[in-house]
Amino acid sequence: MASWLQIPKNSPFSLANIPFGIISAQSASRSHLGVFSQPTLNAFAALGRPVHRQVREYLQNILKADTSYPQVLKENASLQKSVLLPLSQVTNHVPMQIGDYTDFYAGLNHAYNVGVLFRGPENALQPNYKHLPVAYHGRASSVVPSGTGLHRPNGQILTNPTANPKVPAFSPCKKLDIELELAAFISTPNDLGTPVPIDEAEDHIFGLVLMNDWSARDIQAWEYVPLGPFNAKNFGTTITPWVVLIDALEPFRTEGLEPGNRESLLPYLREKRAANAYEIPLDVEITNQGGKPTQISRSNARNLLYSFSQMVAHHTITGCNLNTGDLLGSGTISGTEPHTEGSLLEQTNGKNPLKLADGSERLFLEDGDTVVLRGMAGTEGNYVGFGDCVGTILPAHPLP
């Protein structure tokens, strides 16, 4: 899809994409009317998928080489100067006001790998795993845009698991980890008490972002029984600031690890089509302070057992009302081969360190490490991607 605007061939934001986000810049005009003058995308998202599609197609037309509306932007030099802003000159923000954040556990290979570490291969997956999308409620207030630094969390850690009685110490996290995920923003809400049918669920999704669900594994190990993660997850979650619409990802739909209409699922979770995943290559890169970047993992979005539609259907089956701006994480997306894992815990088992480009080793993250997640589908000149999901680990705050 050719454009009159010069777009680098390796850009994740080709004309085939047209993502939406919130920016600020001293030179940026805020004179747009209606939903596009708001500080978040919630009002636009709430208009629904047909409107999102119409706006995206209009913007694609505006930017096409053979645009039907050359007078709008292509031939309007003064307007180009005020509305076409280099990314280097703008500040990105969290694109939506997030009321609630739910993190699912739909990465089958990740669930199996972690299960093997703690329960062995025979009991790696819990009995419920292939019957419903498992999830926990996360913390919306600490979701931050790409580029935000995060302090290493302090917390209770069981330094000697074999001791009796078990007594925790209080210290900075020593096993700080990443989780490679996708996440969906909700557009159209549902009423309290009214479940969203599986065949309508996708129309309640605005679009997807990349997400790094940072995890303090040693804090998590002590606190998660019996109610699950809490402080191990609430100190920060990083997302890309550009929301890629579902329509932009449609060409990359593929069958996931298991069909979305498999008979083992209860009827409310069965989708009409088996292709319930996306073919999106995903990369993880670590750069230590002053060093060279090291690619440590390459996975794919097709490594999910459940689709976001199934997550919405299950989340609302009780009558739970999802609201515009709610965020649903996919869970860690890991492959089956070495260096396709979406977390350091899986790659190192806490015992077998990774080597970075400068020769240093990592079991878990150290202060000053910068982690970059990337995801991009398609071909050169027509990529549909999310941009970089970047976070740098800052030292822990002094202990009280």
Side-chain angles (χ1 to χ4, degrees):
M1 193 180 294
S3 173
W4 56 265
L5 182 66
Q6 292 202 354
I7 303 174
K9 290 184 178 180
N10 62 349
S11 171
F13 307 124
S14 72
L15 214 55
N17 195 346
I18 311 293
F20 290 81
I22 296 295
I23 66 168
S24 61
Q26 290 183 350
S27 59
S29 170
R30 303 285 294 191
S31 61
H32 302 295
L33 299 176
V35 295
F36 295 113
S37 65
Q38 303 300 312
T40 71
L41 289 171
N42 290 53
F44 173 58
L47 295 177
R49 190 173 179 182
V51 175
H52 308 156
R53 180 180 297 132
Q54 186 177 17
V55 172
R56 175 173 173 265
E57 290 174 351
Y58 173 71
L59 292 173
Q60 284 177 321
N61 194 324
I62 290 295
L63 295 169
K64 284 171 60 177
D66 58 349
T67 174
S68 305
Y69 312 101
Q71 73 284 357
V72 174
L73 194 58
K74 182 179 179 181
E75 298 175 356
N76 192 331
S78 61
L79 186 59
Q80 284 186 38
K81 188 175 181 180
S82 64
V83 303
L84 298 179
L85 304 173
L87 283 175
S88 60
Q89 296 181 14
V90 303
T91 299
N92 289 109
H93 302 276
V94 172
M96 303 191 73
Q97 182 178 347
I98 305 170
D100 284 296
Y101 158 45
T102 302
D103 195 25
F104 284 85
Y105 198 50
L108 173 61
N109 299 321
H110 172 73
Y112 177 80
N113 293 339
V114 173
V116 168
L117 291 177
F118 294 104
R119 295 183 295 276
E122 292 183 358
N123 300 302
L125 296 178
Q126 300 286 9
N128 65 354
Y129 189 79
K130 289 196 174 184
H131 293 279
L132 57 86
V134 177
Y136 74 94
H137 286 289
R139 183 68 186 175
S141 64
S142 53
V143 176
V144 297
S146 175
T148 306
L150 290 171
H151 287 275
R152 180 179 298 273
N154 294 308
Q156 291 194 26
I157 298 170
L158 191 62
T159 55
N160 185 3
T162 62
N164 189 17
K166 292 178 169 55
V167 179
F170 185 74
S171 78
C173 165
K174 295 179 175 62
K175 297 181 179 180
L176 188 55
D177 202 356
I178 62 171
E179 291 196 355
L180 169 64
E181 303 194 26
L182 288 172
F185 275 111
I186 295 298
S187 56
T188 308
N190 62 297
D191 293 331
L192 178 65
T194 306
V196 176
I198 186 68
D199 295 335
E200 299 175 14
E202 193 171 272
D203 288 336
H204 288 256
I205 298 171
F206 180 40
L208 305 187
V209 294
L210 265 180
M211 185 172 88
N212 188 344
D213 181 32
W214 307 89
S215 300
R217 298 298 185 191
D218 41 6
I219 295 174
Q220 183 177 358
W222 173 242
E223 74 175 5
Y224 84 101
V225 178
L227 295 181
F230 181 43
N231 284 341
K233 300 279 192 174
N234 70 7
F235 61 94
T237 302
T238 304
I239 63 172
T240 45
W242 298 102
V243 183
V244 178
L245 298 186
I246 291 295
D247 282 352
L249 296 170
E250 192 64 30
F252 313 108
R253 188 178 291 278
T254 187
E255 188 171 302
L257 296 179
E258 294 183 10
N261 54 12
R262 58 190 185 276
E263 292 186 2
S264 62
L265 293 172
L266 291 173
Y268 79 94
L269 285 173
R270 290 183 202 162
E271 302 184 79
K272 287 182 178 178
R273 52 189 171 191
N276 67 333
Y278 298 106
E279 181 74 29
I280 307 174
L282 304 168
D283 297 335
V284 182
E285 179 182 281
I286 295 180
T287 304
N288 66 332
Q289 202 163 14
K292 295 181 179 179
T294 305
Q295 182 176 301
I296 64 163
S297 181
R298 170 160 287 184
S299 187
N300 196 292
R302 66 173 179 266
N303 288 315
L304 289 173
L305 182 62
Y306 295 98
S307 70
F308 283 105
S309 291
Q310 290 171 317
M311 296 176 207
V312 169
H314 183 65
H315 205 315
T316 64
I317 194 62
T318 59
C320 172
N321 54 321
L322 296 178
N323 295 313
T324 302
D326 283 356
L327 185 66
L328 308 182
S330 66
T332 307
I333 306 173
S334 297
T336 57
E337 302 298 321
H339 303 294
T340 63
E341 303 93 341
S343 70
L344 292 173
L345 175 65
E346 295 169 83
Q347 285 210 29
T348 71
N349 191 17
K351 301 174 182 177
N352 307 306
L354 294 172
K355 271 201 171 181
L356 301 187
D358 67 347
S360 63
E361 296 183 337
R362 293 290 185 278
L363 289 174
F364 294 97
L365 296 174
E366 295 185 3
D367 292 351
D369 285 349
T370 295
V371 178
V372 182
L373 311 184
R374 294 189 179 95
M376 194 160 63
T379 56
E380 187 176 80
N382 290 287
Y383 285 125
V384 175
F386 303 92
D388 291 355
C389 184
V390 183
T392 299
I393 302 303
L394 306 175
H397 287 294
L399 297 176

